Amino acid sequence: MLKAKDLMNNARDSFAAGFAEAIKNGDDKALADVIATFSEDVQQALMEEHNDLVSSTNDAAVLAARGTRVLTSAETKYYNALIEAMKSDKPQAAITGIKETLPETIIDAVLDDIEAQFPLLDAIDFRNTTGITKWPYNKKGLQYAVWGPLGSKIIEELSGDIGALSIEQCKLTAFMAVSKDFLKLGPAWIDRYVRAILAEANGAALELAVVDGDGSKGPIGMNRDLTKGTTSDGSTKYTAKTATKVTDLEPASYGAILADIAKTPEGRQRVLRDVIMVVSPQDYLTKVMPATTARTPDGRYVNDILPYPTRIIQSVGVPTGKAIVGLAKRYFMGVGTPKEGLIEYSDHAQFIDDNRVYTTHFYGNGRPLDNNAFKYLDISALEPLVM
């Protein structure tokens, strides 16, 4: 029998592949199926781990080291109320009637999990915007004051050209199939289960949108052209940028790519910090890794060598043969929870399996803060590094 850790890793691998495929194909049924299957797999893995740990130790430090958090009093109170509601003969009314509000510490923990599991989301400007429905941002970035003689009128107004991103506009939904037996494990294990589902399902959805979202139903991706939006039925859809063909990553070639990013749409220059390159796992192994790996005189291989400090991140959201280079902190993503709560009851055929199925909701939205912050590349003909 597989150990709990192996069960969890297998569940995540299967989920990642199935989720990305369903999103790309626009198959809502397949998407629902893969999330439901993942929730059941996670539940099985956690029950295996619980049985193993409880039979061998009750040490809180050991449990915490394995991912079972020491809950605050507010979190314990909330989860106990949630468990009792889920056990109720009328769970919909019981959950709606929970007086305890979802502690923000749970959301912070979920976001920490997401950032740990998805390096791209850890790199960008990823914020918990709970309680805020519109988030202001400066579309022009750094602006300069203008010198003038004493007593003269202001020569230039420092206008930030502030935009507002609607966080409440877009909703992420996941499913949790909760066995009545699992509810017996208590608040700490329910917390692990809820966090695992939210982190993996919502993290995967966010990452795909951050990379390749067209903005019509959620975030605008890094590879989208902010000047080419088509509005229909109140929704604006953005087309992908024209990919620049790249055959090598030598200093002159890579410098030219970064030079375009170093200039804002308004023509101002900026110093490049937090540069990232985002590629698919397959393209990393067959294109980028051979183009950025050198062998040292003592026979060792050194990976991810680029002429300018750059963090290379693998993401299944990047189309094959493409890559994105840009300024990580010039992508903003805000995530929060709806005012009415996080978990809702949903009727489902799994009642015959003694399961109850619940939907979980996050609000979120994101976009590049300017059109020059990210460069879209065609790396299909990228050549290996020649030393």
Side-chain angles (χ1 to χ4, degrees), residues 10 39 65 67 69 133 200 256 264 315 325 364:
N10 289 345
S39 71
R69 289 195 308 138
T133 58
E200 199 71 30
T264 71
S315 170
V325 172

mmCIF file of all heavy atoms in Angstrom, residues 10 39 65 67 69 133 200 256 264 315 325 364:
data_model
loop_
_atom_site.group_PDB
_atom_site.id
_atom_site.type_symbol
_atom_site.label_atom_id
_atom_site.label_comp_id
_atom_site.label_asym_id
_atom_site.label_seq_id
_atom_site.Cartn_x
_atom_site.Cartn_y
_atom_site.Cartn_z
ATOM 1 N N ASN A 10 1.050 11.656 -5.813
ATOM 2 C CA ASN A 10 0.373 11.116 -6.991
ATOM 3 C C ASN A 10 -0.894 11.899 -7.299
ATOM 4 O O ASN A 10 -1.219 12.164 -8.464
ATOM 5 C CB ASN A 10 0.027 9.638 -6.776
ATOM 6 C CG ASN A 10 1.248 8.739 -6.789
ATOM 7 O OD1 ASN A 10 2.327 9.153 -7.218
ATOM 8 N ND2 ASN A 10 1.100 7.516 -6.314
ATOM 9 N N SER A 39 -10.047 15.976 -4.687
ATOM 10 C CA SER A 39 -10.490 16.166 -3.311
ATOM 11 C C SER A 39 -10.629 14.827 -2.592
ATOM 12 O O SER A 39 -10.283 14.694 -1.421
ATOM 13 C CB SER A 39 -11.815 16.933 -3.272
ATOM 14 O OG SER A 39 -12.889 16.152 -3.743
ATOM 15 N N ALA A 65 5.149 19.369 12.268
ATOM 16 C CA ALA A 65 6.202 19.176 11.268
ATOM 17 C C ALA A 65 5.681 18.482 10.021
ATOM 18 O O ALA A 65 6.221 18.657 8.932
ATOM 19 C CB ALA A 65 7.359 18.382 11.866
ATOM 20 N N GLY A 67 2.775 19.074 8.742
ATOM 21 C CA GLY A 67 1.823 19.940 8.046
ATOM 22 C C GLY A 67 0.516 20.163 8.763
ATOM 23 O O GLY A 67 -0.358 20.855 8.250
ATOM 24 N N ARG A 69 -1.274 22.095 11.302
ATOM 25 C CA ARG A 69 -1.028 23.339 12.016
ATOM 26 C C ARG A 69 -1.606 23.303 13.428
ATOM 27 O O ARG A 69 -2.607 22.649 13.695
ATOM 28 C CB ARG A 69 -1.680 24.518 11.275
ATOM 29 C CG ARG A 69 -1.020 24.893 9.978
ATOM 30 C CD ARG A 69 -1.496 26.259 9.521
ATOM 31 N NE ARG A 69 -2.954 26.353 9.490
ATOM 32 C CZ ARG A 69 -3.651 27.408 9.910
ATOM 33 N NH1 ARG A 69 -3.044 28.435 10.438
ATOM 34 N NH2 ARG A 69 -4.966 27.424 9.818
ATOM 35 N N THR A 133 -12.834 45.216 -2.477
ATOM 36 C CA THR A 133 -13.395 44.776 -3.753
ATOM 37 C C THR A 133 -12.721 45.441 -4.946
ATOM 38 O O THR A 133 -12.762 44.913 -6.049
ATOM 39 C CB THR A 133 -14.912 45.068 -3.815
ATOM 40 O OG1 THR A 133 -15.139 46.470 -3.616
ATOM 41 C CG2 THR A 133 -15.639 44.286 -2.730
ATOM 42 N N GLU A 200 -4.182 23.906 -3.949
ATOM 43 C CA GLU A 200 -3.860 23.245 -5.212
ATOM 44 C C GLU A 200 -4.799 23.672 -6.334
ATOM 45 O O GLU A 200 -4.368 24.049 -7.428
ATOM 46 C CB GLU A 200 -3.923 21.729 -5.023
ATOM 47 C CG GLU A 200 -3.177 20.946 -6.088
ATOM 48 C CD GLU A 200 -1.676 21.075 -5.963
ATOM 49 O OE1 GLU A 200 -1.182 21.249 -4.830
ATOM 50 O OE2 GLU A 200 -0.976 21.013 -7.000
ATOM 51 N N ALA A 256 18.995 42.584 -25.783
ATOM 52 C CA ALA A 256 18.000 43.229 -26.635
ATOM 53 C C ALA A 256 16.582 42.962 -26.141
ATOM 54 O O ALA A 256 15.713 43.834 -26.209
ATOM 55 C CB ALA A 256 18.162 42.736 -28.072
ATOM 56 N N THR A 264 9.344 51.976 -20.353
ATOM 57 C CA THR A 264 7.909 51.936 -20.110
ATOM 58 C C THR A 264 7.148 52.324 -21.375
ATOM 59 O O THR A 264 7.732 52.897 -22.313
ATOM 60 C CB THR A 264 7.511 52.898 -18.983
ATOM 61 O OG1 THR A 264 7.639 54.253 -19.457
ATOM 62 C CG2 THR A 264 8.392 52.704 -17.756
ATOM 63 N N SER A 315 6.201 26.486 -15.657
ATOM 64 C CA SER A 315 4.756 26.581 -15.475
ATOM 65 C C SER A 315 4.047 25.855 -16.608
ATOM 66 O O SER A 315 4.359 26.071 -17.784
ATOM 67 C CB SER A 315 4.301 28.050 -15.452
ATOM 68 O OG SER A 315 2.887 28.136 -15.495
ATOM 69 N N VAL A 325 9.411 36.547 -20.578
ATOM 70 C CA VAL A 325 10.448 37.190 -19.775
ATOM 71 C C VAL A 325 9.901 38.533 -19.321
ATOM 72 O O VAL A 325 9.296 39.264 -20.116
ATOM 73 C CB VAL A 325 11.750 37.382 -20.574
ATOM 74 C CG1 VAL A 325 12.748 38.227 -19.774
ATOM 75 C CG2 VAL A 325 12.369 36.039 -20.924
ATOM 76 N N GLY A 364 -10.796 36.715 -7.086
ATOM 77 C CA GLY A 364 -9.441 37.068 -7.484
ATOM 78 C C GLY A 364 -9.402 37.719 -8.845
ATOM 79 O O GLY A 364 -10.268 37.486 -9.690
#
